[in-house]
Amino acid sequence: METSMRTSGRGRLGRACRESTPESVALSVFIGVVGVLFSLLIVAYAMRMRTGDWRTLPVPWQLGLSTAMLILSSASLQWASVAARRGERKSLNKALLATAVFAVAFLASQLWVWQRLVEFGYLASANPANGFFYLITGLHGLHLAGGLVALGRAVAHSRLSGAAARVQASIALCARYWHFLLALWLVLYAALSFLTPAIVAFICGAS
């Protein structure tokens, strides 16, 4: 039993070493930096709420639609990651296509949100709440657009490269970044939709 445990331990260590590629470490560092950036933005957003000129922005229903698109995109990329690991090329291609379609739909619906807000006169310069909304959603959209570029490279590898391990690693890295963007968006969506000056005052202990 002791020998088995040692073997199992060496196996886990070996897998951990194999997974700690330079690309994986770089992605982890990048995710950490992006996480800190958006954490600071949320803190600034909450603190700015406590000023007298804050006018809460009504969140259009299209923001819920874009959230659904991002969830579907993340699920599709997880499907792609599993298909790449199993060597199922047809499923991989379908999953990658679905991921790209849902990701583009997410970005399009975000632009639709912006269009509706502008039509109703909620310009970025009109109020700090408006400015924060455009800044936060725009920055997140830019990060997703960058993810689409990485996904395009993964698609190219899946079609041109014969190295299955490389394709699998690329898809797995994209999936990790995508899931991070989804988790980040859910936090941002909750902050933009439900965080109010009263809640911030309650959390900060102010009257």
Side-chain angles (χ1 to χ4, degrees), residues 100-115:
V101 168
F102 287 129
V104 171
F106 169 79
L107 293 174
S109 57
Q110 292 292 75
L111 291 176
W112 190 12
V113 170
W114 283 17
Q115 180 190 25

Side-chain angles (χ1 to χ4, degrees), residues 1-193:
M1 183 176 179
E2 184 179 353
T3 303
S4 175
M5 290 179 64
R6 287 177 179 171
T7 303
S8 176
R10 286 197 296 271
R12 287 196 295 270
L13 180 60
R15 285 194 299 274
C17 291
R18 287 195 297 273
E19 291 170 357
S20 298
T21 62
E23 292 83 1
S24 177
V25 173
L27 178 61
S28 298
V29 172
F30 181 70
I31 285 175
V33 171
V34 174
V36 170
L37 169 65
F38 277 94
S39 297
L40 293 175
L41 268 177
I42 292 175
V43 171
Y45 176 75
M47 292 298 101
R48 190 65 178 82
M49 274 186 176
R50 305 181 69 183
T51 58
D53 60 343
W54 186 271
R55 299 290 181 273
T56 300
L57 184 73
V59 176
W61 65 266
Q62 288 88 349
L63 208 63
L65 174 64
S66 63
T67 301
M69 293 299 103
L70 190 55
I71 291 173
L72 290 173
S73 181
S74 186
S76 297
L77 197 46
Q78 182 60 33
W79 173 27
S81 181
V82 172
R85 193 164 57 245
R86 294 176 177 173
E88 299 171 348
R89 180 167 290 273
K90 287 185 178 179
S91 295
L92 173 61
N93 290 336
K94 291 178 182 176
L96 288 174
L97 178 62
T99 302
V101 168
F102 287 129
V104 171
F106 169 79
L107 293 174
S109 57
Q110 292 292 75
L111 291 176
W112 190 12
V113 170
W114 283 17
Q115 180 190 25
R116 296 297 295 168
L117 290 175
V118 170
E119 286 176 357
F120 286 111
Y122 295 103
L123 303 178
S125 57
N127 190 269
N130 304 358
F132 267 103
F133 183 89
Y134 288 108
L135 176 63
I136 291 173
T137 55
L139 273 179
H140 183 272
L142 284 177
H143 282 85
L144 190 86
L148 269 177
V149 174
L151 180 62
R153 291 185 60 189
V155 171
H157 284 150
S158 72
R159 293 184 179 278
L160 302 176
S161 173
R166 186 175 178 82
V167 174
Q168 179 183 333
S170 298
I171 300 295
L173 287 175
C174 286
R176 199 202 314 175
Y177 181 61
W178 229 255
H179 299 333
F180 164 72
L181 286 180
L182 172 61
L184 176 62
W185 173 251
L186 292 177
V187 173
L188 297 175
Y189 178 69
L192 293 171
S193 301

